[in-house]
Amino acid sequence: MIHLTPSMTGVASPDPLKFAFSAKTSAHASRGGRRPLSLDESQWQQWWQQESDAEERALYLHIPFCRKRCSFCNFFENGANPARISRYIDALCASLAKAAETPLVQSHPFSAVYVGGGTPTDMSADELEMLARMIRRFPLTADAEVTLEGRLNGFDDAKWQAALGGGFNRFSFGVQSFDTGVRQQAARIDDRETLLTRLGELTRDDAAVIVADLIFGLPGQDDAVWQQDITDVMASGVHGIDLYQLIAMPGTNLDRAGQKGKLGWAADGQQRAAMYAYGGQQLEQHGWERLSCSHWRRSPAEQSRYNQMAKRGAEILPFGAGAGGTIHGYGVMYGRDLAQWHEAQEKGVRAPGMVMGRNPNARMDGLLRGALDSGVLALARLPASLRSHLMPLFDAWRQNGLADLAGDQLVLTLAGRFWNVNMQAGLFEFLQHNPADGSEPALLHGKHPDGKHPGIRHSLV
């Protein structure tokens, strides 16, 4: 008997955009149940001597420094002290140089690189050049997307030229809002005019792809402010735009202000849903193409490749304190403690962190997650048995106004695109509670459910 719950299906409502689910509580969804592994140093070193069999690969480099903690951020790690950054970049580059020569790295090229944080643009121009040289020691495809994340404040012409000269061809800036008052309350730097001027300078010659992130639901950001944000970002010259809903996270300055009654007015969940609808509709009416439920582009030069690969479950080799990714199908997350990370680098051993067992359903999970993130699932890509098994869930989504079944496709409605992360979580919950054919879903992929890999001891840490 199929088990369905509102957390999987949403609920029937006259306005599913606003009421299909009670709230969005996470930025990502994945299937649970993976086991932490006990991995000794010799086994870790074996990994780097084994060639990868991944079909698509990316690199993720983490720069865990910020000059200021934004009000909505719950992962602030380290203050951007220049000496601290310099020491870190030296150690990171040394680890990259060592890894670049291994069979794991050299076995297949990487089609995307993402330098994230933190605030990577707080690096100096010389440090950007140094990091870029190390990245070029890795085998990259001819059209590799190489992204530098950060903020516009402090990203001067010297850094811009150093990054371009080093091979960075995509820049993702966290604007969040152009409104000066909203930005001040969110502890962001720079006012509206400064942001628009700098974006205009960087996009003038189309030397690289520029992406701007906006958040809707920030304190003080009413409908009029949000509408101006959308107008501003479309006029700014950027090639890609992300629209992200503010998610109230515990431990943030925003959370603490709310507990003290000092937050002030902020849009509720229903208002945020309307803001998402307005933003997406305005972008598409002005010719912007939607690549995912949260990302639009005005130019084919913007591929958003790394983000799409991450959703699809590509192999992503992580480097740096706090970095996460996958190696040979195993999840890897390095700890954030800088002192411990530096100590491990000096000893030439694996940095502290967590290694998770392989997901035997990784290929299918990636297909499902990537398709829902794009807003369209081609049903023919699913095994017939799985397609049939999922139809009760898909039909419930249709009845609740979250999706349409159009021919051989499941197409998310506007409401479905707004709630797509909840729907992804609901799909994985459905598969956990309703194993296909009464057996482990892993068997759909012709793999043993244990998903064992040579040299790995499967035991709880």
Side-chain angles (χ1 to χ4, degrees):
M1 181 176 178
I2 293 295
H3 177 69
L4 290 172
T5 66
S7 61
M8 302 174 191
T9 65
V11 298
S13 164
D15 192 344
L17 173 68
K18 296 180 178 179
F19 299 108
F21 294 91
S22 59
K24 179 180 178 181
T25 57
S26 174
H28 307 286
S30 62
R31 192 195 300 250
R34 296 175 69 180
R35 298 183 296 169
L37 304 179
S38 176
L39 186 71
D40 65 32
E41 187 61 27
S42 64
Q43 293 169 330
W44 173 254
Q45 297 300 335
Q46 282 184 32
W47 273 10
W48 295 89
Q49 300 308 312
Q50 295 168 350
E51 295 188 352
S52 171
D53 61 2
E55 295 178 2
E56 53 179 2
R57 312 177 79 198
L59 297 174
Y60 177 77
L61 283 58
H62 194 58
I63 312 297
F65 303 97
C66 290
R67 278 178 290 149
K68 196 172 185 180
R69 178 173 184 163
C70 299
S71 66
F72 49 82
C73 176
N74 73 335
F75 47 86
F76 181 89
E77 297 171 83
N78 307 282
N81 176 282
R84 182 183 293 170
I85 296 177
S86 180
R87 182 190 176 203
Y88 179 83
I89 296 302
D90 285 343
L92 179 62
C93 286
S95 70
L96 290 169
K98 179 180 177 181
E101 305 304 320
T102 63
L104 170 63
V105 166
Q106 291 295 326
S107 53
H108 297 290
F110 299 84
S111 56
V113 181
Y114 198 96
V115 180
T119 311
T121 49
D122 280 345
M123 287 185 285
S124 69
D126 289 344
E127 289 160 352
L128 279 168
E129 289 179 347
M130 185 189 313
L131 191 62
R133 285 197 299 272
M134 288 302 114
I135 291 172
R136 292 200 301 271
R137 296 181 66 169
F138 285 69
L140 305 179
T141 60
D143 64 343
E145 174 191 274
V146 186
T147 300
L148 181 70
E149 183 183 63
R151 70 171 88 213
L152 289 160
N153 182 271
F155 190 63
D156 57 24
D157 287 343
K159 293 183 181 182
W160 169 242
Q161 294 301 328
L164 289 178
F168 286 98
N169 53 26
R170 185 176 183 271
F171 298 82
S172 180
F173 294 111
V175 173
Q176 321 314 1
S177 174
F178 287 93
D179 185 84
T180 301
V182 170
R183 292 179 58 79
Q184 289 173 343
Q185 190 169 352
R188 298 295 292 179
I189 307 171
D190 288 333
D191 59 18
R192 174 176 178 271
E193 293 305 321
T194 301
L195 291 174
L196 289 170
T197 298
R198 187 58 178 153
L199 283 174
E201 292 169 351
L202 296 180
T203 59
R204 184 173 298 128
D205 299 324
D206 284 333
V209 168
I210 307 292
V211 176
D213 295 345
L214 294 183
I215 293 178
F216 54 95
L218 291 166
Q221 187 187 44
D222 59 19
D223 286 342
V225 169
W226 177 243
Q227 291 166 15
Q228 187 62 51
D229 279 337
I230 296 297
T231 298
D232 285 346
V233 77
M234 288 193 295
S236 68
V238 299
H239 305 84
I241 297 170
D242 288 300
L243 304 184
Y244 294 128
Q245 180 182 181
L246 177 68
I247 302 176
M249 295 291 186
T252 65
N253 290 337
L254 205 62
D255 177 55
R256 283 186 281 272
Q259 292 178 10
K260 295 177 181 178
K262 298 180 179 180
L263 185 59
W265 181 89
D268 62 18
Q270 290 73 47
Q271 289 168 310
R272 292 197 296 270
M275 294 167 88
Y276 171 82
Y278 176 85
Q281 289 166 353
Q282 284 295 303
L283 288 168
E284 289 165 33
Q285 287 174 12
H286 286 81
W288 292 69
E289 177 187 4
R290 177 170 48 83
L291 290 187
S292 76
C293 294
S294 60
H295 187 78
W296 287 258
R297 69 178 182 182
R298 70 166 175 86
S299 164
E302 161 56 349
Q303 298 289 315
S304 192
R305 183 179 298 167
Y306 175 88
N307 291 327
Q308 294 186 43
M309 290 173 65
K311 293 289 195 309
R312 292 196 299 262
E315 180 173 70
I316 299 177
L317 302 192
F319 293 90
T326 53
I327 301 178
H328 294 305
Y330 293 87
V332 176
M333 176 62 71
Y334 296 119
R336 296 183 177 185
D337 189 288
L338 268 186
Q340 293 182 4
W341 183 83
H342 276 294
E343 182 180 0
Q345 302 311 307
E346 291 165 2
K347 293 180 178 179
V349 299
R350 177 169 65 95
M354 181 177 290
V355 178
M356 301 299 293
R358 296 185 93 187
N359 176 7
N361 306 284
R363 184 184 297 274
M364 188 55 61
D365 284 2
L367 186 156
L368 292 167
R369 187 169 48 245
L372 290 180
D373 184 66
S374 75
V376 179
L377 170 62
L379 298 177
R381 299 185 65 189
L382 304 181
S385 59
L386 180 60
R387 174 177 174 173
S388 176
H389 186 66
L390 288 171
M391 285 307 295
L393 176 64
F394 294 164
D395 192 54
W397 285 349
R398 181 189 60 78
Q399 293 181 41
N400 291 335
L402 296 168
D404 293 318
L405 290 166
D408 204 34
Q409 292 184 324
L410 180 81
V411 181
L412 301 193
T413 62
L414 173 64
R417 295 197 296 273
F418 178 70
W419 294 111
N420 86 89
V421 175
N422 295 64
M423 295 170 69
Q424 292 177 44
L427 185 149
F428 292 133
E429 182 185 354
F430 175 91
L431 289 174
Q432 287 178 313
H433 286 280
N434 303 284
D437 300 323
S439 62
E440 288 292 329
L443 299 179
L444 290 169
H445 313 305
K447 296 179 179 178
H448 191 279
D450 195 32
K452 289 186 177 179
H453 189 273
I456 305 300
R457 182 170 67 253
H458 283 246
S459 60
L460 296 177
V461 172

